Amino acid sequence: MGARVHGKTLGIVGLGAIGQADIVSLNCPLTESSYHLMNANMLGKMKSGAILINTGRGALVDEEALVSALASGHLGGAGLDVFEFEPSITPELLDFDNVTVLPQIGSATLECRTDMAMTAFSNIQRFLVEGEPLDACI
């Protein structure tokens, strides 16, 4: 189990050339407005050689555009804990030496797994009492 990042403080040491814009980390939820937030246009605006990290939701990134940006050499690399077509991974992403893929370990924290269990418990409890769960997606 790892450490939860939710509610934690991110410290950037040095806001000079090293601390700015070399790494973009996506940690936001997937909404209508954030779908393909990182598309060909946005990836093209990133600093040449920058690294994209996505630990938010897979569809924040247009993986076809990401493959193109990596293949062209524009991006320096990517770190992905989530994928656009989960549970599948865009096969071309596995061909790059500068891409690290992880099996959604972002939720592998004691706090997150406890929250998940408590949410499931609350949904069951609400369903038994009111006939519907708290979460509409269940």
Side-chain angles (χ1 to χ4, degrees), residues 22 38-52 65-77 96 98:
D22 293 316
M38 298 307 290
N39 55 27
N41 181 47
M42 292 301 291
L43 291 168
K45 290 180 180 182
M46 288 178 64
K47 178 179 177 180
S48 182
I51 296 170
L52 177 67
L66 178 59
V67 168
S68 294
L70 290 162
S72 72
H74 178 68
L75 285 187
F96 293 100
N98 57 346

Side-chain angles (χ1 to χ4, degrees), residues 67-92:
V67 168
S68 294
L70 290 162
S72 72
H74 178 68
L75 285 187
L80 307 170
D81 187 49
V82 291
F83 310 96
E84 182 177 5
F85 305 106
E86 293 174 345
S88 298
I89 299 173
T90 298
E92 295 85 355

Side-chain angles (χ1 to χ4, degrees), residues 12-85:
I12 299 174
V13 178
L15 287 177
I18 293 175
Q20 295 180 7
D22 293 316
I23 300 171
V24 173
S25 179
L26 303 177
N27 305 285
C28 50
L30 180 62
T31 64
E32 256 184 61
S33 61
S34 66
Y35 175 78
H36 280 185
L37 175 68
M38 298 307 290
N39 55 27
N41 181 47
M42 292 301 291
L43 291 168
K45 290 180 180 182
M46 288 178 64
K47 178 179 177 180
S48 182
I51 296 170
L52 177 67
I53 297 173
N54 188 9
T55 59
R57 294 288 180 252
L60 295 173
V61 177
D62 177 344
E63 289 184 358
E64 181 180 343
L66 178 59
V67 168
S68 294
L70 290 162
S72 72
H74 178 68
L75 285 187
L80 307 170
D81 187 49
V82 291
F83 310 96
E84 182 177 5
F85 305 106

